[in-house]
Amino acid sequence: PALALLVCGLTSLGLAADLPPGIEQKSSQNIPYLSGGVSEEERDMLRHVDGDYNVKLMFAAKDGSFFSEVNVTIQDQQGKKVLEAVSNGPWFYTKLVPGKYIVMAQVQGQTHQQSAEVSQQKQTHLQFY
């Protein structure tokens, strides 16, 4: 376990150098996350780190336009908040411990909620319209 933590720590440190300007990995309650993708260039750069996160959220209007400044709250099955953050773009990435979660996205005064089952084997992808 200690080696795994060290590897994860070193990996997350290495990621920061590969991120586009203005996008930085942050954390909420020791859960790493990053967001962005306002421009096509940012989205292209974020695609390079896509596989490093097991959860990807996307925020868009039904007409296809993207949202930013989205309040994101993730709760575990017991209703405990495990992450609370603001997405600075339409794409939001995080690394969660495998399990079941409730993901809430609040934008323009409306809250949308989805259930998510997160695993280590594949990325969980949720879209909020």
Side-chain angles (χ1 to χ4, degrees), residues 58-62 65-73 85-87 89-90 104-113 128-129:
M58 189 188 80
F59 312 108
K62 291 197 186 293
S65 59
F66 288 130
F67 285 116
S68 61
E69 303 304 313
V70 177
N71 293 310
V72 176
T73 304
V86 175
S87 181
M104 291 168 277
Q106 184 180 43
V107 64
Q108 297 181 339
Q110 294 186 3
T111 301
H112 303 272
Q113 178 176 307
F128 291 87
Y129 292 99

Side-chain angles (χ1 to χ4, degrees), residues 67-83:
F67 285 116
S68 61
E69 303 304 313
V70 177
N71 293 310
V72 176
T73 304
I74 301 177
Q75 297 177 343
D76 64 16
Q77 271 191 298
Q78 290 72 40
K80 179 184 173 211
K81 283 184 193 173
V82 296
L83 184 144

